[in-house]
Amino acid sequence: MSTTQKFVFFALAATIRLLLIYSEYQKIIADRVEVSTALNSWKKVTEGVYLREAGIDPYTGDLFHESPIGLVVFSYMQKYLSLCMLCGIFVFTDLATAWILGATAYRYTSELIATEQKDIQKRKKESNDEELSTLPSSMSIPASSVTSSALLVPSAYLFNPYVVFNCVGLTTTVFTNFLLSAALYSMINKSRLCSCFTIAVLTLQGLYPITLMVPATIYLARNEEGKNKNFPYGNINKTIAMFIGILIALYYLSYKVSGSWSFLHSTIGFILTVPDLRPNIGLYWYFFTEMFEHFRWLFVASFQINVGLLYVAPLALRFRRDPMLLAFSYLAIAAIFKSYPCLGEVGFYMALLPMWKHLFPHMQQGFIVSCFLLSCTVFAPTVWHLWIYSRSANANFYFGVTLAFAIAQIFLVTDVLFASVKREFSLRHGLSREIHGNTGKLLLE
């Protein structure tokens, strides 16, 4: 793709966002519970900035949930930038995120092809069976995947309706996605400082991104493999110590900015305890609304362990050879099971899917997942209108849509991970999808 084509490509995405931002639909999109939550709403940011300028601690009530560092940045943005420039910042940040994701996809696909070729050569030397040592042409990753992934990933991000709504609604998830893309790019480039810093900033704000330290540590350890004979897996302690040091420094800076530690209750405490039960696309709000109060803390702990701890070690052990896929799985799990999810986070991890398009032939749930996602996207605002405005439905209807949406995402993530396992098995054991020289097909009669 030429530079002119890229410019037109990004200009079209920017135009779509700007037209929607300056249209009558902007307020409708910004008020949607699927787009704006208690953690990312720009209205909450505006109110927090106003309280700070009025000399009132914005963390005293249950109103503001951004970090103190974010509060300072947003204060300067609202003070020195006009509304037009502010909207431009959101659009520019979204475009920058897409560009970084494209660069990440290019680098990752290149490394994936190189690693696979090395593994093939290694198996050819170790195996006496020519059939096991030969990679079927239908399963090899073509060299053209490098350029196509670098194009498809930013396309999937820029023109994903979930991401577009996220930007048009002026949610702070736009900046979170930018930091996530920077973290992934730092991982693939084996930059310890940038990886630790970006993940620490994300952890300060959203807590759950701390799981990205696992794939980041694996990448950095792999980079140092062979340099240190006494510790061939790299200096893991150095990476962890740097991350903890940066995180402590950020918390101390936040304390100096806010003047107290009250922000902890309104940021991390708010995420962990889930006090705000207004509807969103997550699973917490309905469950804890219906629950008896004396069971609340038991199930809060169960839900938080499910999203933050339960899958970290098993997935890390199984997908340690592909840290980027591991990072994708952590991002997807957090977007599904976190306490206050939004569509922008779902759109972000879905935009990464073209990096594994070589796994698509091994996936089985693509059509079902697509239908579920499309149906839920249409039904969610419809059922919301019936519940809140027409009073002809109730909370069960809306929760049914959010539950189906979560199930569709679970099917998607498990399908991708199982496809990776099946392809790895096929490569190791010389299996192919060819029958008598023709590509095998599964037909339903």
Side-chain angles (χ1 to χ4, degrees), residues 6-19 95 159:
K6 288 182 180 179
F7 176 79
V8 173
F9 186 72
F10 278 77
L12 177 60
T15 303
I16 293 173
R17 284 161 169 77
L18 290 173
L19 288 176
L95 299 183
F159 299 104

Side-chain angles (χ1 to χ4, degrees), residues 241-258:
M242 179 177 289
F243 170 75
I244 294 175
I246 294 174
L247 188 61
I248 291 174
L250 289 174
Y251 273 113
Y252 180 74
L253 180 60
S254 299
Y255 164 73
K256 297 298 289 183
V257 168
S258 64

Side-chain angles (χ1 to χ4, degrees), residues 2-222:
S2 66
T3 306
T4 306
Q5 290 174 320
K6 288 182 180 179
F7 176 79
V8 173
F9 186 72
F10 278 77
L12 177 60
T15 303
I16 293 173
R17 284 161 169 77
L18 290 173
L19 288 176
L20 286 173
I21 287 175
Y22 289 106
S23 71
E24 59 183 2
Y25 301 106
Q26 192 278 331
K27 189 177 184 303
I28 299 175
I29 294 173
D31 290 339
R32 291 301 311 168
V33 295
E34 300 88 1
V35 176
S36 297
T37 67
L39 292 178
N40 69 352
S41 172
W42 190 249
K43 287 184 178 179
K44 298 275 188 179
V45 170
T46 304
E47 292 170 350
V49 170
Y50 177 81
L51 290 174
R52 180 175 182 267
E53 292 179 350
I56 303 173
D57 184 5
Y59 299 105
T60 52
D62 190 23
L63 180 66
F64 186 73
H65 307 291
E66 294 286 342
S67 66
I69 297 176
L71 176 61
V72 172
V73 174
F74 294 138
S75 297
Y76 279 106
M77 288 175 61
Q78 292 199 354
K79 184 176 181 180
Y80 296 105
L81 298 179
S82 63
L83 179 60
C84 181
M85 295 176 64
L86 194 62
C87 295
I89 290 291
F90 276 91
V91 174
F92 177 79
T93 304
D94 234 17
L95 299 183
T97 302
W99 184 87
I100 295 174
L101 288 179
T104 304
Y106 184 91
R107 182 69 179 268
Y108 170 73
T109 311
S110 302
E111 289 191 0
L112 191 65
I113 294 175
T115 303
E116 188 172 89
Q117 293 302 321
K118 289 180 182 179
D119 290 342
I120 294 171
Q121 296 301 325
K122 184 178 179 180
R123 286 202 300 272
K124 284 183 179 181
K125 293 180 181 179
E126 295 177 352
S127 176
N128 295 323
D129 191 343
E130 185 65 24
E131 183 179 353
L132 292 178
S133 61
T134 304
L135 181 66
S137 58
S138 61
M139 294 181 60
S140 61
I141 305 177
S144 59
S145 294
V146 178
T147 2
S148 62
S149 293
L151 172 63
L152 292 174
V153 169
S155 301
Y157 184 84
L158 289 175
F159 299 104
N160 189 321
Y162 297 160
V163 178
V164 174
F165 291 156
N166 176 68
C167 181
V168 173
L170 302 181
T171 65
T172 58
T173 307
V174 171
F175 306 108
T176 302
N177 287 348
F178 174 78
L179 290 173
L180 285 173
S181 65
L184 296 179
Y185 186 74
S186 302
M187 287 183 203
I188 200 70
N189 284 281
K190 285 84 174 179
S191 173
R192 177 179 284 110
L193 179 60
C194 292
S195 297
C196 292
F197 178 77
T198 51
I199 297 175
V201 174
L202 288 165
T203 303
L204 176 69
Q205 171 58 32
L207 184 62
Y208 300 115
I210 193 174
T211 56
L212 292 178
M213 277 305 299
V214 177
T217 303
I218 295 175
Y219 262 125
L220 295 169
R222 179 185 295 177

